[in-house]
Amino acid sequence: MQVLASKHPGSPLQTRPVWSGGWYKFAHHSPSPNFGPRPPAGTISLVVVHSISLPPNQYGGHQIEEFFHNTLDHNAHPYFKGLEGVKVSSHFLIKRHGELIQFVSCLDRAWHAGESSFKGRSNCNDYSIGIELEGAEYDGTFEAIQYEALSSLCSSLVGEFNITNFAGHEHIAPGRKKDPGAGFAWKLFQRSLGLADSFFPST
Ligand SMILES: [Zn+2]
């Protein structure tokens, strides 16, 4: 368990763990009702990187959070009509200015991957952690501060869980999903983590 060192002996920071019940201390916690238990014997080994924007290609609103909370106003935009009744979530969202929000405990199963398979193993939601980057569904680029937040989060995830791979939604649901897309800099992400090629998609 990682513990933040404190310059102020006796302060609560000294003993407050970075991870508590699967919740990350440095994220804003905004619990979503959209989750379930992981399979009993399941170990968490995969991180899935996504991108999302609501409405498509528009940034800065709170519609993604509302979507994950089942409170999206479906009359507010024509695109939202198609999302009516759709219940999804991710463990984390990193917004354009680097704000990190956590919706589901990493110990629970968030609903981010859908029908999916990684290295012959289906149902990626069972054994993965989902991270959404606020960005265009594909071909969009991401802000430097989003990479910084993602890198900090993922290095902590690697320290806390038995993570062996990172993949994009496009890699675990090819033909159905295109996010995060060609605009996501996997090499930059890899360099920031200092992990071997074997952790990352071969593209
Ligand atoms: Zn996705």
Side-chain angles (χ1 to χ4, degrees), residues 50-51 112 132 169 177 179:
H50 301 258
S51 62
H112 58 96
E132 295 275 3
H169 202 182
K177 290 291 178 179
D179 61 305

Side-chain angles (χ1 to χ4, degrees), residues 9-196:
S11 80
L13 278 177
Q14 195 174 33
T15 52
R16 197 176 153 210
V18 172
W19 291 96
S20 178
W23 292 90
Y24 186 49
K25 173 181 178 170
F26 300 112
H28 172 67
H29 299 170
S30 182
S32 162
N34 303 335
F35 70 93
R38 290 189 188 270
T43 56
I44 300 161
S45 59
L46 176 69
V47 171
V48 180
V49 178
H50 301 258
S51 62
I52 187 172
S53 54
L54 291 176
N57 306 322
Q58 291 183 36
Y59 304 144
H62 295 283
Q63 288 89 343
I64 302 169
E65 294 96 306
E66 290 166 3
F67 185 36
F68 291 168
H69 287 133
N70 307 329
T71 59
L72 187 64
D73 176 4
H74 295 99
N75 297 313
H77 189 281
Y79 182 80
F80 298 165
K81 285 279 184 205
L83 300 178
E84 217 156 358
V86 177
K87 290 189 175 178
V88 293
S89 61
S90 65
H91 292 94
F92 296 97
L93 167 68
I94 300 172
K95 303 193 78 177
R96 298 301 287 188
H97 298 292
E99 185 192 358
L100 177 63
I101 304 170
Q102 183 170 6
F103 298 92
V104 175
S105 162
C106 291
L107 303 184
D108 286 321
R109 185 180 182 276
W111 303 343
H112 58 96
E115 194 180 332
S116 54
S117 173
F118 183 75
K119 294 189 175 178
R121 196 174 164 200
S122 60
N123 293 316
C124 294
N125 282 340
D126 287 351
Y127 57 92
S128 70
I129 290 168
I131 304 174
E132 295 275 3
L133 300 172
E134 187 181 18
E137 179 96 33
Y138 53 92
D139 293 340
T141 57
F142 302 91
E143 302 290 341
I145 199 164
Q146 290 182 291
Y147 284 102
E148 286 175 29
L150 179 66
S151 180
S152 298
L153 170 61
C154 288
S155 61
S156 193
L157 285 171
V158 167
E160 181 70 7
F161 301 99
N162 194 23
I163 303 298
T164 55
N165 286 98
F166 296 86
H169 202 182
E170 62 195 294
H171 303 114
I172 62 167
R176 190 173 69 83
K177 290 291 178 179
K178 294 178 175 177
D179 61 305
F184 182 74
W186 283 100
K187 282 291 169 195
L188 174 70
F189 178 45
Q190 178 179 357
R191 278 200 300 275
S192 74
L193 287 173
L195 295 171

